[in-house]
Each structure stands twice: as structure tokens, then as C-alpha cells.
Amino acid sequence: MRYAGGMRYGEGGGLTAAERARREHVRLAAADLIEAGASDREVARRFRVSRMSANRWRRALATGGRPALASKGAGGAPCKLAPAQLRGQQLKRWCTSCAVVGQG
């Protein structure tokens, strides 16, 4: 992962589309194992996740089927800045001031 050795949000935040797709692929592969009767412990061990994650996937699969395991896209709140703010110097000044304040 990109953020395993450093700050996750300092690099733009969250996972890329490719990383989200890879995680979705893991969840769908785990669904095959769950449907074959594997326990949460077996699923967790096979995919190197916590038993809590395996159980969450099992419950999602039971209530919503495979679509419930699909990626929901990037998390977080939508950007509240206007397009002009994103392009202009105003954003640069805002980001710089946040970075300076956040270092305290």
C-alpha cells in the first residue's frame, strides 16, 4: 500500500481507484470461500485480514449478496470548494496555512 510506510493523508488521502478495485477483488474472492462453508477464521487467515472483517463480509454477503461487497468508491465528504477555488491561488494559500497549523 502507498501509506504503509508514511502518512496516508499527507499524500492526497485514501486509496486510489486501483487499490479500491484490488480490495473489492479480495472481498469477492472471500465470498467464494464463505459460500463454500469456510469459517471466519479460515477466511481471515487466507486473506490476511481480521476475523472481524471476515465476519463483516459474511454478514454483508448474507444480507445483500455479492453487490454488498462491491466498492462504494472514495470515502469522505464531498469537496465544498467551488471549481474556481480549486484552480486558483486561494486553495494554495489555504493548504499552506492548514499544513503550517497542523504541524504544531
Side-chain angles (χ1 to χ4, degrees), residues 2-86:
R2 276 187 343 202
Y3 57 88
M7 289 186 55
R8 176 177 177 185
Y9 295 103
E11 296 174 359
L15 301 173
T16 66
E19 290 166 332
R20 284 192 303 274
R22 185 182 59 78
R23 284 196 175 179
E24 180 178 340
H25 180 74
V26 168
R27 289 190 299 270
L28 292 175
D32 292 336
L33 221 55
I34 291 168
E35 290 171 341
S39 69
D40 291 346
R41 181 173 292 218
E42 291 172 293
V43 173
R45 188 177 317 123
R46 167 71 173 84
F47 295 100
R48 299 179 66 186
V49 297
S50 68
R51 281 187 290 160
M52 181 183 262
S53 290
N55 184 262
R56 190 178 310 119
W57 297 343
R58 178 183 303 281
R59 286 183 283 124
L61 186 63
T63 58
R66 287 180 177 265
L69 297 174
S71 176
K72 311 247 182 329
C79 183
K80 295 178 181 175
L81 297 175
Q85 290 173 309
L86 290 172

